[in-house]
Amino acid sequence: MVLEGNPEVGSPRTSDLQHPENQGSCVLSSPGEDAQPGEEPIKYGELIVLGYNGCLASGDKGRRRSRLALNRRPHANGVKPDVMHHISTPLVSKALSNRGQHSISYTLSRSHSVIVEYTHDSDTDMFQIGRSTENMIDFVVTDTSPGGGAAEGPSAQSTISRYACRILCDRRPPYTARIYAAGFDASSNIFLGERAAKWRTPDGLMDGLTTNGVLVMHPAGGFSEDSAPGVWREISVCGNVYTLRDSRSAQQRGKLVENESNVLQDGSLIDLCGATLLWRTPAGLLRAPTLKQLEAQRQEANAARPQCPVGLSTLAFPSPARGRTAPDKQQPWVYVRCGHVHGYHGWGCRRERGPQERECPLCRLVGPYVPLWLGQEAGLCLDPGPPSHAFAPCGHVCSEKTARYWAQTPLPHGTHAFHAACPFCGTWLTGEHGCVRLIFQGPLD
């Protein structure tokens, strides 16, 4: 047995990590240690899961929810690399793996492993994301199926890791947030097995990738009216940035991208191979519409009394309090190829092209005919513009800038495919543009 420590670094003291408040509780409203009673907690940012339109189908409960605020913890629980050990037998890893000592184990062969011990970092807060419901996971995320909702049933095999990733936030301004692949398990360990992609870096340290990877995309121009999709990258266990592998779980890593970092920006997308999360900063959320503004837009749209151009009935968007069940009698419907808005009617079917294919009575274009639903997750909107466009073919309505941005944004799917999808329900977009401008007819009187 060979055990080598770094003589220049002392042994870590991890008693602070055992504090009960630092064991991965869901941080929704816990104030920071500098906050005075009655003051708002210091918020690092919010994570929003794409595809749920504001709430999980079963309801947001505890750490399993569609949106999570990351607030400053009462006590720092961050960790940073400290000592690296080379060991000649994997059995020694059991001696180093305990709940009070965070470590990352790299298995190089049956007779050689490298273990990097981590020590307490009083300058950062750590938040962990994954499929596991264990206490060390702050945000429990499950697979999202196209069309909205979680993949359910015993046959649904999850591709999200139990300990998918971790985010470290600086406790001091500007409260920078950095993302790393993999999270620490119940034994405070990250274990990269013999088949996992791993390597020694030029400075003699270790790094690696998780099985299905953690992908990140930073938007160009920020998350605003001038945004454009960025380039998808893969984040390593140590937070380095790499080009994508040939396939999601290939053992050969991509190329190191030296001029990019793992710092999250407003609008950064995080893909966990089964669910995609959006990161919003507090400053970015101030520019986003509020739920009150979305409700005011709904009422304003209904106050215009749009009418069905054929049936001449008055149309109205239903209240979000109703939830998305069966369409309301006054629900607006749209032909997604042309954008003409009608009330529901049963004519114009083209059965030879599918049950949803209808011929628009105004322009004769044939395509899907679907009810319109307002997008209710305000954090997914780039601007507070009026609800003028709908995604095709699902019919979720939002502003023009928001619709065009998401229609241009390819989201990872499977091992190497990418599809643009509606951010509100996860349905893959179709048609030339992925969205359509809505054409309403006003009242004839």
Side-chain angles (χ1 to χ4, degrees):
M1 179 183 73
V2 181
L3 182 63
E4 298 176 356
N6 185 345
E8 297 180 359
V9 184
S11 300
R13 295 291 182 265
T14 57
S15 58
D16 290 338
L17 296 176
Q18 300 173 4
H19 194 286
E21 292 180 296
N22 293 334
Q23 295 301 312
S25 59
C26 179
V27 181
L28 296 174
S29 60
S30 299
E33 58 188 8
D34 297 333
Q36 300 299 319
E39 288 185 351
E40 289 293 321
I42 295 174
K43 181 188 292 185
Y44 298 130
E46 292 193 23
L47 289 167
I48 303 171
V49 187
L50 303 190
Y52 293 102
N53 201 19
C55 185
L56 299 183
S58 59
D60 288 348
K61 302 170 185 176
R63 294 172 295 140
R64 192 190 297 270
R65 53 201 310 114
S66 66
R67 183 170 182 162
L68 182 77
L70 271 57
N71 296 331
R72 181 171 171 170
R73 296 185 185 275
H75 302 277
N77 74 328
V79 293
K80 57 186 176 182
D82 186 22
V83 181
M84 186 169 71
H85 303 278
H86 293 267
I87 58 178
S88 59
T89 169
L91 296 177
V92 182
S93 63
K94 294 183 178 180
L96 294 176
S97 297
N98 61 71
R99 294 179 182 273
Q101 177 66 68
H102 287 70
S103 63
I104 300 181
S105 305
Y106 302 86
T107 301
L108 304 181
S109 68
R110 292 184 178 180
S111 60
H112 185 200
S113 294
V114 175
I115 296 180
V116 179
E117 290 185 354
Y118 277 62
T119 187
H120 176 59
D121 183 3
S122 60
D123 295 324
T124 61
D125 285 337
M126 181 171 66
F127 304 88
Q128 301 208 136
I129 305 163
R131 177 170 49 88
S132 172
T133 57
E134 296 174 274
N135 289 336
M136 79 292 303
I137 297 298
D138 298 282
F139 195 12
V140 179
V141 179
T142 55
D143 297 69
T144 304
S145 60
E152 297 179 352
S155 61
Q157 183 72 28
S158 178
T159 50
I160 299 176
S161 171
R162 289 180 299 162
Y163 318 104
C165 68
R166 61 198 192 279
I167 295 175
L168 267 69
C169 301
D170 290 344
R171 290 173 61 83
R172 296 183 178 85
Y175 306 115
T176 303
R178 296 176 175 85
I179 185 169
Y180 301 80
F184 294 99
D185 61 17
S187 298
S188 302
N189 180 250
I190 294 173
F191 181 79
L192 296 182
E194 202 170 336
R195 295 185 178 181
K198 69 187 82 65
W199 58 91
R200 191 179 299 275
T201 61
D203 52 6
L205 303 177
M206 295 296 299
D207 202 355
L209 305 173
T210 54
T211 301
N212 289 328
V214 174
L215 308 187
V216 172
M217 189 270 279
H218 305 302
F223 197 68
S224 64
E225 298 181 18
D226 301 321
S227 291
V231 179
W232 282 100
R233 305 295 194 194
E234 181 162 12
I235 302 298
S236 72
V237 171
C238 294
N240 294 309
V241 182
Y242 290 85
T243 59
L244 301 187
R245 291 178 266 183
D246 291 338
S247 66
R248 194 75 187 233
S249 57
Q251 288 189 297
Q252 183 63 38
R253 71 177 187 274
K255 295 182 180 179
L256 178 67
V257 185
E258 297 184 359
N259 62 339
E260 297 181 18
S261 75
N262 63 336
V263 173
L264 294 176
Q265 306 168 16
D266 187 42
S268 292
L269 289 172
I270 304 166
D271 188 80
L272 306 179
C273 195
T276 305
L277 284 63
L278 174 70
W279 173 259
R280 297 304 311 267
T281 62
L285 288 171
L286 289 176
R287 298 190 297 268
T290 63
L291 290 178
K292 287 185 178 180
Q293 287 176 313
L294 293 180
E295 174 59 18
Q297 289 178 349
R298 185 188 73 86
Q299 294 181 9
E300 183 177 351
N302 291 345
R305 295 174 57 219
Q307 289 191 339
C308 174
V310 177
L312 301 181
S313 59
T314 300
L315 308 177
F317 286 102
S319 167
R322 281 188 62 244
R324 180 170 178 170
T325 54
D328 187 90
K329 290 183 178 180
Q330 290 185 290
Q331 186 107 14
W333 286 63
V334 67
Y335 288 90
V336 296
R337 283 197 63 195
C338 59
H340 285 117
V341 179
H342 292 69
Y344 179 76
H345 51 251
W347 62 80
C349 295
R350 290 293 180 267
R351 306 236 178 244
E352 70 277 5
R353 299 184 55 177
Q356 280 193 311
E357 298 290 304
R358 302 282 189 93
E359 181 182 271
C360 175
L362 297 185
C363 66
R364 302 300 182 186
L365 280 177
V366 177
Y369 176 62
V370 298
L372 292 175
W373 304 92
L374 290 172
Q376 291 297 320
E377 178 50 83
L380 300 176
C381 301
L382 275 75
D383 67 331
S388 59
H389 284 63
F391 289 107
C394 62
H396 276 103
V397 180
C398 59
S399 71
E400 178 181 5
K401 295 287 181 66
T402 298
R404 296 196 183 281
Y405 174 79
W406 288 108
Q408 298 173 33
T409 302
L411 300 178
H413 170 70
T415 58
H416 54 268
F418 289 82
H419 294 282
C422 171
F424 299 108
C425 70
T427 299
W428 296 346
L429 302 185
T430 59
E432 182 180 357
H433 303 291
C435 61
V436 63
R437 182 175 67 87
L438 298 176
I439 303 173
F440 288 92
Q441 176 173 296
L444 297 179
D445 55 3

